[in-house]
Amino acid sequence: MPVDENEILVRAHGLRKRYGDFEAVRGVDFEIRRGEAFGFLGANGAGKSTTMRMIGCVSEPSDGALDLFGLDPHTDGPAIRARLGVVPQDNTLDNMLTVFENLTVYAGYFGIKRRTAARRAAELLEFVQLTARSRDKVDDLSGGMQRRLAIARSLINEPDLALLDEPTTGLDPQARHLLWERLFQLKQRGVSIVLTTHYMDEAEQLCDRLVIMDEGRIIASGSPRELIDTHVTKEVVELRYGGLHTTDLADIARTLDGIGSQVEALPDRILVYTDDGDDTTAALEARDVSPTSVLARRATLEDVFLRLTGRALGEDDG
Amino acid sequence: MSVIAYGLFRTRLGPSRAMLSRNWVAMRRAWVLVASGGVESLLFLFAFGFGVGALVGDITLPGGRTISYTAYVAPAILANAAMMGTLLETSINVFAKFKWMKVYDGVLATPMRPWDIALGEVWWALIRGGVYVAMFVIAMGAFGLLESVWSVLAVPAAVFIGLAFSGIGLTLATVFRNWPDFDWMMAIVFAMFLFGGTFTPVESYPGFAQPLVYAMPLYHGIELVRGISLGELGPMMAVNVLYLCALALAGTWIAQRRLAKALYK
């Protein structure tokens, strides 16, 4: 099959998912192209995982149109799933099996012949650096290793599209970096990736294109750079006041009118959006607001999220 | 024709074989555990057949024939072994894989469908139950409790019992919410074992109780296996087989529907 860079693998239009009275996904549109890494960024409860389950053909949309590889999930679920590699949020590894068996048995679910399965399993364990643990039971692995095993398992059928639901949530920084490195290599191999995350650094590092979700809706989309350019200023100055509380910070923020292009008070700091960090820092000093610390930095996706939702990414909204 | 039939057979049964092979790989290290289930029914045979049987001596069947009590009870215990082997496998083990270990959540992300999972679990339960039945029939033969060569048919007859209870077990695995629910199941199983015609002919119960016994799946299993191993064949056996098959189909179908509803959310 010739690789067409613009081939669209997933097309969603007006996608909705209702659970009783609660609507988890409220009409989203997106397109995922071959070869790209596409991200769903949002806080917990934003509808990311539900959207992923619908793409994975294990959850039926309540409304809207969804199309994967030109097939309809409603009638061609097994055929679509045969071309997907899924890493669910909770791994769902088989803890009655060894590391190696987790891969070969899973290959069986795809109807892959035993010999092919064993060869691919050995290669994939090498890829995720678990060869030395291949005879161990899953429960004996650390969280990061289990995650890597889940990723290896998702690649056993050589998928056209890999779906990773919060691949690094709950991992320590070292395990996260190892995982990022593997995902980056996966991208270089030409595997199309869809991932959800609530870490903006993860989204910035891995995603070519992403959508920001909030309360079941897509509130912005584009490349990380485009999103930052469109929604926030180039730089942000952070003011921290040790010991002061939300209302105090709001009072101080009000006195900063006219500095930068916008001032925002958060529970723990004040953000001043500006196109020139140095200028703004100088202007702040002139105002004599005496913060404990001042930090001028590049704007990030987190600032985009904050501007769009009024909340920090770390805050849960149920 | 054969090509098409073979193709159809492959598409229907192929995926469920993957579920079967998963169970094989998971349990092959625990084969002692698997075999121990068969030993249990042999203990029953010794206790009731030879212990109680020695006290009771011979009994007269409704048809007028006289046989040893041990020969009367043994087929019922065989039926019970087939029931327990498949029921425990499909209820408790499937429940654990479904609710506890979340094995099926991973499986459904592949081309496998709930129907493939249910069917694969039925095959596996039949194999496990079959091991118990074979162990038991060999023991019966060794103690001279098989009345004719036709008694070998008791093995396939026990498969029908296994099918019926796989279906029931699968449905229970999807209905039960937590482990205490299994105590209820065991209480009902025990009642069936005691009153399903294991130790006395149903005709000896008071009239009002008889319809209850006829509704018990185990009763039909016992009738079938006993009729075959004593060489007393009759048209009612067709009813026994149909009843057991109906339970198997209904149970497996309901179970896969409920799995789909719970997991495709």
Side-chain angles (χ1 to χ4, degrees):
Chain A
M1 193 163 47
V3 175
D4 174 2
E5 280 299 322
N6 289 318
E7 186 191 343
I8 290 167
L9 299 182
V10 184
R11 207 185 301 251
H13 183 70
L15 206 57
R16 286 172 186 277
K17 182 70 185 185
R18 271 184 296 272
Y19 297 104
D21 287 340
F22 172 68
E23 198 169 27
V25 177
R26 307 175 181 191
V28 295
D29 302 86
F30 55 87
E31 283 181 350
I32 299 164
R33 302 188 201 108
R34 181 179 288 281
E36 78 176 340
F38 186 90
F40 288 94
L41 179 66
N44 292 334
K48 307 186 301 284
S49 293
T50 309
T51 307
M52 281 295 249
R53 288 179 58 82
M54 288 193 277
I55 300 173
C57 299
V58 288
S59 175
E60 188 129 8
S62 311
D63 204 358
L66 180 64
D67 173 301
L68 284 99
F69 317 119
L71 300 169
D72 177 1
H74 188 68
T75 50
D76 303 311
I80 295 171
R81 290 195 299 270
R83 297 171 63 180
L84 296 178
V86 180
V87 182
Q89 216 175 105
D90 46 3
N91 291 335
T92 66
L93 294 167
D94 196 326
N95 54 17
M96 283 176 79
L97 307 178
T98 66
V99 167
F100 192 77
E101 288 164 353
N102 254 284
L103 299 182
T104 50
V105 165
Y106 205 73
Y109 301 145
F110 288 91
I112 296 166
K113 295 251 182 327
R114 212 166 287 179
R115 191 176 304 177
T116 315
R119 179 176 51 76
R120 283 190 198 166
E123 285 168 10
L124 287 168
L125 286 182
E126 197 66 48
F127 174 63
V128 296
Q129 298 176 4
L130 284 176
T131 306
R133 309 298 300 265
S134 64
R135 286 166 172 276
D136 291 353
K137 283 282 178 73
V138 170
D139 290 336
D140 298 335
L141 302 182
S142 69
M145 288 175 176
Q146 293 197 5
R147 213 80 187 113
R148 264 143 57 201
L149 178 57
I151 288 175
R153 189 185 65 172
S154 76
L155 300 173
I156 198 83
N157 58 326
E158 300 184 332
D160 288 320
L161 184 63
L163 307 178
L164 303 114
D165 198 359
E166 302 200 358
T168 65
T169 298
L171 301 187
D172 60 55
Q174 204 186 347
R176 280 181 82 194
H177 279 281
L178 181 57
L179 210 75
W180 282 353
E181 193 196 300
R182 296 296 114 172
L183 293 179
F184 194 73
Q185 281 185 14
L186 214 60
K187 242 176 89 175
Q188 285 180 319
R189 287 181 175 193
V191 178
S192 314
I193 295 173
V194 180
L195 65 93
T196 70
T197 183
H198 54 233
Y199 298 120
M200 63 285 135
D201 50 345
E202 186 161 292
E204 258 183 289
Q205 289 221 16
L206 293 173
C207 298
D208 301 314
R209 235 154 42 83
L210 57 96
V211 294
I212 296 179
M213 283 189 83
D214 190 46
E215 292 177 346
R217 292 189 183 83
I218 290 176
I219 53 173
S221 61
S223 71
R225 197 66 253 161
E226 280 167 11
L227 284 167
I228 292 168
D229 290 347
T230 314
H231 298 283
V232 288
T233 52
K234 269 201 200 87
E235 295 185 357
V236 178
V237 179
E238 286 192 14
L239 305 179
R240 285 178 190 271
Y241 291 86
L244 289 190
H245 295 294
T246 314
T247 45
D248 306 323
L249 292 179
D251 289 342
I252 296 171
R254 238 168 273 129
T255 68
L256 299 179
D257 257 4
I259 298 181
S261 59
Q262 197 191 332
V263 178
E264 187 133 26
L266 300 184
D268 60 335
R269 66 211 139 121
I270 296 172
L271 299 184
V272 182
Y273 295 95
T274 173
D275 282 323
D276 190 329
D278 292 340
D279 254 19
T280 306
T281 309
L284 283 167
E285 272 165 20
R287 289 279 175 112
D288 193 27
V289 285
S290 53
T292 1
S293 75
V294 181
L295 170 73
R297 57 165 175 82
R298 255 184 67 221
T300 66
L301 277 179
E302 178 151 32
D303 300 308
V304 175
F305 188 83
L306 206 61
R307 279 294 283 273
L308 291 170
T309 66
R311 286 192 319 277
L313 258 174
E315 295 172 35
D316 282 6
D317 55 6
Chain B
M1 173 249 162
S2 67
V3 175
I4 297 168
Y6 181 63
L8 187 70
F9 188 75
R10 287 268 298 210
T11 49
R12 301 296 291 176
L13 298 186
S16 65
R17 260 192 340 229
M19 199 65 232
L20 176 63
S21 98
R22 179 261 166 213
N23 289 334
W24 163 250
V25 174
M27 291 304 286
R28 69 182 165 192
R29 282 178 293 265
W31 60 271
V32 177
L33 200 74
V34 175
S36 70
V39 173
E40 198 173 294
S41 14
L42 289 179
L43 293 179
F44 267 117
L45 180 64
F46 287 124
F48 288 97
F50 298 104
V52 181
L55 295 174
V56 178
D58 291 350
I59 64 159
T60 307
L61 295 181
R65 198 173 137 203
T66 301
I67 56 163
S68 78
Y69 187 64
T70 312
Y72 180 80
V73 169
I77 295 179
L78 170 65
N80 187 63
M83 168 181 80
M84 291 305 279
T86 48
L87 182 67
L88 293 184
E89 177 61 40
T90 48
S91 63
I92 293 180
N93 287 358
V94 168
F95 179 80
K97 282 182 258 187
F98 171 42
K99 293 256 167 84
W100 241 29
M101 297 189 271
K102 308 267 178 203
V103 169
Y104 303 136
D105 289 75
V107 175
L108 285 182
T110 74
M112 300 273 287
R113 298 160 300 173
W115 182 246
D116 303 318
I117 292 175
L119 223 51
E121 293 295 357
V122 170
W123 301 142
W124 172 247
L126 283 182
I127 289 175
R128 194 164 172 178
V131 171
Y132 298 166
V133 168
M135 284 169 71
F136 197 83
V137 169
I138 292 168
M140 276 174 79
F143 291 111
L145 298 173
L146 300 176
E147 296 285 312
S148 76
V149 283
W150 294 107
S151 309
V152 177
L153 284 176
V155 176
V159 170
F160 285 109
I161 302 173
L163 270 176
F165 282 97
S166 307
I168 294 171
L170 276 181
T171 294
L172 293 180
T174 61
V175 171
F176 284 173
R177 295 147 301 175
N178 217 328
W179 298 111
D181 287 336
F182 286 95
D183 293 338
W184 289 102
M185 180 184 85
M186 291 316 290
I188 292 169
V189 161
F190 197 61
M192 280 203 291
F193 177 60
L194 290 179
F195 301 108
T198 312
F199 301 108
T200 49
V202 181
E203 289 75 9
S204 61
Y205 292 137
F208 74 89
Q210 289 185 16
L212 278 176
V213 178
Y214 292 139
M216 288 179 185
L218 184 62
Y219 162 77
H220 293 269
I222 291 174
E223 284 298 293
L224 193 61
V225 176
R226 181 175 282 151
I228 289 170
S229 54
L230 297 180
E232 308 242 322
L233 307 179
M236 276 309 283
M237 285 179 152
V239 175
N240 301 145
V241 168
L242 282 176
Y243 186 71
L244 294 173
C245 286
L247 283 174
L249 280 175
T252 312
W253 192 79
I254 294 171
Q256 63 96 18
R257 278 295 294 251
R258 292 187 56 88
L259 275 179
K261 216 176 151 216
L263 297 174
Y264 283 146
K265 56 182 185 284

